[in-house]
């Protein structure tokens, strides 16, 4: 079908080239702005007033980009979520079957390629039918006029504009005609038909011909046959009333009207139409899930959305960024590994049931790249609290989630450990770690070089005591050992190192909401943190001191497949490689003979347990050279308010004596074992010079 560019009339020119238009116009009353307006005289509108009204309208109709659905992909290109305000995928006219084109033209505007913006014959027929309808205009609209109306409705930014676009009045009809002329002057017939097929709503959530073909028949628009084309062509008149998923009989009747019209026009033979009319609809309805709640990884999807909506390069404000994401037809390429996600989901859900007054969570981050490979939590996404559903994301940091996190306990000891090594203390640095100690606060230097305070910090052990070095103090997680080590390092450097490694610490002195963070008890994990933050931080050790910001997205492409933005790794060396090597060697002891020895993976792995003193949360953060993961079980009611885990039935068991090694470490171990076959066996670099620098023994506190 070849596009034909009809002659067009401009304001002030008479349609002399179409005698029939003049004749009909003479009968009906007026020719205005090059258009036959047969209804002006009938409703008492003067030709001069109509002409002035037409001249006041813009000469062109700006056609904005149509809203299209966005796809979120995993690292291998599989779709994990679709996001849209309108389920639409634009296609070119050459990608629509010829039968579909013939069907839509036959039923909606059979002389589309012969007339201009206005089909005067159709308009006259509609006028005769509707002349007693009190000023309401129905029928007779050309495809171009229909496109104008669809466009005005689609681009309406307010209720007033929406009402004006759908108002069944002559004023609206005049406006459509003016814009229709503009479209036909500016674009080819093929462009108009293509835009029309992509704009039209076909019902049941399907916008545009490609989505309709996929939704109703699970085929592409280019593969639609006669039966399918006739059905879809019939739907645009009344997408809800003829919806084949709701009103099959009506849909069949409407389809058959289209087939009869195609036979009447000689497009198909009558016997072929009769044969198809006897057939069933042949639906093969395909749902197109929308939003994160239907995603394969709901809370990872939620993380992606919040991450992108914080990106100022994607729009001036959150509203603009959301509109781009849900209407821009983007392809969002993410970092998620579905195998890792499945392993994380299985490990978490097996340990903590959704209805429990506790939250299980796990995040996986790839060292050296910052790619977030999995985000899992025990409470599934949804609105039914009775079965444990929630929309709150507890696993990612507060900037991108819904929780400030939970106290991570002794997992924070590693920041003091690394700061000590950075300052030159050796791994053999030893203290007499007494069961209970009263340590003067002036022993802890703050960032200004002054003592933290002049009170006394009372700290006790919950594990072992005695004279020990970094290896034993860490393996047995001895509080009084690390309290003395922090007195050596000061509070400032461990605090700043934790921030540099990805922990979002924002309230050092307690001037904002919550407890102060930069205090002597920092070493025991007083500040709140999320599993994602700690996985990111420990990934820094695995990458030999190279910290990479966590990122769930690697690139975004626009609707045409062009690169819109890349999200490369953003990394910075935050400690010496030798420091990280020494930390790795020390933390190996936690798994190789320490509290988490049951989680030995049979290859190099390191980690640290964490248990809050009030038993509200238990943790294990561990890593191999190529994957870091943080697992957490935290007591929380249905609104997420922290509570003690003691005596809480988490599903498969009831917690008595909360400990990171007994409850959180197995979640980590099960998740990691689920992906070991994907992780090449690698070894940590053996520690070297850092272990032999600085003092070897510091005994700051004598026995009583």
């Amino acid at each position: 079908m070849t596009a034909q560019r009809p002659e067009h009339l401009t304001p002030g020119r008479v349609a002399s080239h179409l005698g029939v238009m003049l004749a009909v116009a003479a009968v009906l009353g007026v020719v205005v702005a090059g258009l036959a307006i047969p209804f002006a005289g009938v409703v008492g509108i003067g030709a001069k007033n109509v002409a002035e009204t037409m001249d006041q309208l813009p000469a062109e109709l700006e056609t904005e980009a149509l809203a299209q659905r966005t796809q979120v992909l995993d690292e291998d290109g599989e779709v994990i979520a679709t996001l849209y305000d309108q389920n639409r995928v634009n296609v070119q006219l050459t990608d629509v079957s010829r039968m579909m084109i013939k069907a839509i033209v036959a039923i909606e505007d059979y002389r589309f390629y012969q007339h201009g913006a206005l089909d005067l014959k159709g308009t006259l027929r509609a006028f005769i039918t509707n002349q007693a309808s009190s000023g309401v205009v129905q029928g007779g609209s050309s495809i171009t006029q229909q496109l104008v109306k669809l466009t005005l409705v689609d681009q309406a930014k307010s209720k007033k504009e929406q009402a004006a676009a759908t108002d069944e009045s002559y004023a609206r009809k005049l406006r459509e005609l003016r814009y229709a002329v503009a479209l036909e002057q500016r674009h080819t017939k093929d462009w108009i038909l293509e835009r029309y097929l992509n704009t039209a709503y076909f019902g049941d959530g399907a916008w545009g011909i490609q989505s309709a073909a996929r939704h109703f028949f699970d085929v592409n628009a280019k593969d639609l046959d006669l039966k399918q084309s006739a059905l879809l062509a019939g739907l645009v008149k009344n997408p809800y009333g003829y919806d084949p998923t709701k009103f099959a009989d009506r849909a069949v009747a409407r389809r058959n009207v289209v087939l009869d019209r195609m036979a009447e026009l000689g497009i198909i033979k009558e016997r072929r139409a009769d044969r198809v009319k006897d057939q069933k609809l042949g639906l093969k309805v395909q749902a197109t899930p929308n939003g994160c709640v239907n995603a394969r990884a709901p809370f990872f999807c939620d993380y992606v959305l919040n991450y992108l909506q914080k990106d100022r390069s994607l729009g001036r404000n959150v509203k603009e960024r959301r509109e781009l994401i849900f209407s821009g037809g983007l392809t969002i390429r993410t970092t998620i590994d579905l195998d890792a996600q499945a392993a994380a989901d299985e490990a978490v859900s097996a340990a903590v049931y959704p209805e429990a007054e506790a939250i299980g969570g796990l995040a996986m981050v790839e060292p050296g790249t910052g790619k977030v490979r999995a985000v899992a939590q025990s409470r599934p996404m949804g609105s039914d609290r009775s079965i444990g559903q929630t929309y709150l994301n507890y696993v990612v940091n507060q900037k991108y989630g819904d929780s400030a996190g939970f106290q991570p306990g002794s997992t924070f000891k590693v920041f003091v450990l690394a700061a000590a090594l950075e300052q030159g203390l050796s791994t053999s640095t030893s203290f007499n770690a007494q069961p209970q100690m009263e340590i003067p606060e002036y022993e802890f230097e703050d960032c200004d070089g002054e003592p933290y305070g002049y009170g006394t910090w009372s700290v006790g052990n919950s594990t072992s005591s005695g004279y020990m070095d970094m290896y034993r103090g860490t393996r047995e997680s001895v509080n009084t050992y690390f309290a003395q080590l922090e007195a050596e390092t000061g509070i400032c450097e461990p605090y700043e190192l934790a921030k540099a490694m990805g922990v979002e610490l924002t309230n050092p002195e307690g001037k904002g909401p919550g407890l102060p963070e930069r205090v002597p008890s920092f070493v025991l994990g007083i500040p709140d943190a999320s599993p994602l933050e700690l996985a990111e931080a420990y990934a820094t050790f695995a990458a030999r001191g190279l910290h990479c910001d966590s990122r769930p997205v690697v690139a975004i492409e626009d609707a045409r497949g062009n690169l819109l933005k890349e999200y490369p790794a953003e990394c910075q060396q935050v400690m010496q490689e030798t420091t990280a090597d020494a930390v790795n060697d020390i933390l190996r002891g936690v798994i190789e003979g320490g509290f988490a020895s049951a989680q030995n993976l049979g290859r190099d792995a390191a980690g640290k347990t964490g248990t809050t003193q009030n038993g509200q949360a238990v943790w294990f953060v561990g890593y191999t050279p190529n994957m870091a993961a943080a697992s957490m079980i935290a007591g929380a009611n249905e609104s997420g308010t922290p509570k003690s885990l003691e005596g809480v039935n988490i599903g498969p068991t009831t917690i008595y004596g909360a400990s990171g090694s007994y409850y959180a470490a197995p979640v980590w171990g099960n998740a990691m074992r689920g992906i070991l076959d994907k992780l090449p066996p690698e070894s940590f670099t053996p520690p070297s010079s850092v272990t032999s620098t600085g003092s070897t023994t510091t005994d700051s506190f004598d026995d009583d």
Side-chain angles (χ1 to χ4, degrees), residues 520-548:
S521 56
F522 170 83
V523 68
L524 300 184
I526 295 302
D528 290 331
S530 67
L532 180 60
E533 290 169 73
L534 289 182
E536 175 182 330
Y538 277 59
T540 306
F541 295 130
R544 302 192 70 202
L546 182 69
H547 169 259
C548 300

Side-chain angles (χ1 to χ4, degrees), residues 416-417 420 423 425-435 437 439 443-444 461 464-474 478-490 695-703:
V416 173
L417 179 67
Q423 291 177 4
L425 297 176
S426 76
T427 57
S428 60
T429 299
S430 302
F431 303 103
N432 180 12
Q434 301 173 40
M437 299 185 72
I439 307 177
E443 295 284 348
F444 301 92
N461 296 331
S464 59
S465 303
Y467 199 77
M468 58 191 66
D469 61 7
M470 286 186 185
Y471 279 90
R472 183 185 171 195
T474 303
V478 181
N479 292 345
T480 57
Y481 176 87
F482 275 93
Q484 295 175 80
L485 186 62
E486 187 184 41
E488 291 293 313
T489 65
S695 62
T696 57
T697 303
T698 303
D699 193 355
S700 301
F701 303 97
D702 297 327
D703 291 327

Side-chain angles (χ1 to χ4, degrees), residues 482-655:
F482 275 93
Q484 295 175 80
L485 186 62
E486 187 184 41
E488 291 293 313
T489 65
I491 307 172
C492 189
E493 288 193 32
Y495 182 87
E496 293 300 323
L497 182 59
K499 288 175 63 176
M501 293 172 68
V503 182
E504 292 186 359
L505 301 169
T506 58
N507 194 26
E509 298 174 356
K511 295 180 179 179
L515 298 172
E517 299 165 337
R518 203 174 63 219
V519 294
S521 56
F522 170 83
V523 68
L524 300 184
I526 295 302
D528 290 331
S530 67
L532 180 60
E533 290 169 73
L534 289 182
E536 175 182 330
Y538 277 59
T540 306
F541 295 130
R544 302 192 70 202
L546 182 69
H547 169 259
C548 300
D549 294 341
S550 291
R551 58 190 170 115
V553 180
V554 293
I556 301 176
E557 296 164 7
D558 65 18
R560 296 184 177 182
N562 301 316
L563 182 65
L564 185 63
K565 182 172 180 179
E566 285 187 295
Y567 293 83
E570 295 192 4
C571 305
Q572 183 179 8
Q573 195 75 28
V574 297
M575 69 184 72
Q576 300 174 72
E577 290 183 344
T578 50
T579 295
D581 295 341
V583 171
N584 296 338
D585 199 53
I586 292 170
L587 294 185
R588 285 179 62 177
V590 177
I591 293 179
E592 298 174 6
F595 290 142
S597 58
Q599 309 312 320
N600 195 314
L601 302 178
R603 62 173 69 181
D604 276 10
K608 183 70 187 72
T609 56
T611 305
T612 61
Q613 287 185 324
N614 54 13
Q616 288 189 347
V618 293
W619 294 75
F620 186 79
V621 190
Y623 55 96
T624 65
N626 42 27
M627 185 64 73
S631 64
M632 170 205 77
I633 300 175
N637 63 19
E638 64 177 16
S639 299
T641 303
K643 59 169 294 183
S644 175
L645 282 169
E646 290 297 328
V648 172
N649 184 343
I650 59 174
T653 187
T654 298
I655 292 181

